[in-house]
Amino acid sequence: EPHRETILLVEDEPGIRGLVRKILRRERYQVLEAGSGEEALGVLSSHGESIHLLLTDILLPGMSGRDLAEFLLRTRPALKVVYISGYTGDESNRAGEFPADAKFLQKPFTLGALTGKVRQALD
């Protein structure tokens, strides 16, 4: 079976990052990972391959997930983005902060929610 798309996973909690990586790899995605926005930029510069989806926590040390996404979208307009959020506030509170079509994965999330949201974003 051919590999599916490449996902850049940016999450500063190693436990969550490891779990998400495992789930995505089991779904046959290629997974690149970083613990911060700055680290993600380093991973990108050393990986020439195209990245189809950025899966990033909103709250990261240093550069926020949103800033990272906006930076990447300038040079990769086709990039899909899914934000992982620990916020409990409903999405309408953030409507002004994010693009209308921004996709959110609410923590804590189920395995099905993760794989479903990723697939929905990529399709």
Side-chain angles (χ1 to χ4, degrees):
E1 183 191 333
H3 275 291
R4 296 171 96 172
E5 297 92 341
T6 299
I7 296 172
L8 174 58
L9 166 63
V10 189
E11 164 60 69
D12 60 318
E13 294 178 45
I16 295 176
R17 194 169 70 238
L19 184 65
V20 171
R21 177 186 63 228
K22 197 163 122 184
I23 293 166
L24 293 174
R25 287 206 171 135
R26 202 162 57 205
E27 294 283 319
R28 318 265 314 143
Y29 292 107
Q30 304 269 32
V31 183
L32 301 173
E33 57 182 299
S36 69
E38 290 80 0
E39 197 184 321
L41 295 177
V43 168
L44 280 168
S45 65
S46 60
H47 284 80
E49 77 230 65
S50 68
I51 288 167
H52 301 92
L53 174 76
L54 170 66
L55 178 60
T56 182
D57 201 313
I58 293 172
L59 295 173
L60 293 168
M63 176 188 272
S64 74
R66 185 193 175 156
D67 288 344
L68 173 66
E70 288 180 349
F71 181 81
L72 296 184
L73 285 165
R74 277 184 219 132
T75 52
R76 296 173 172 78
L79 182 74
K80 305 289 192 274
V81 180
V82 173
Y83 294 103
I84 300 171
S85 172
Y87 291 124
T88 49
D90 65 291
E91 283 177 28
S92 65
N93 294 348
R94 300 194 297 269
E97 296 177 48
F98 288 93
D101 57 351
K103 292 187 168 50
F104 292 93
L105 187 60
Q106 190 74 50
K107 278 183 191 173
F109 46 81
T110 63
L111 190 156
L114 168 66
T115 57
K117 189 70 79 169
V118 162
R119 199 61 254 163
Q120 178 196 351
L122 285 165
D123 285 341

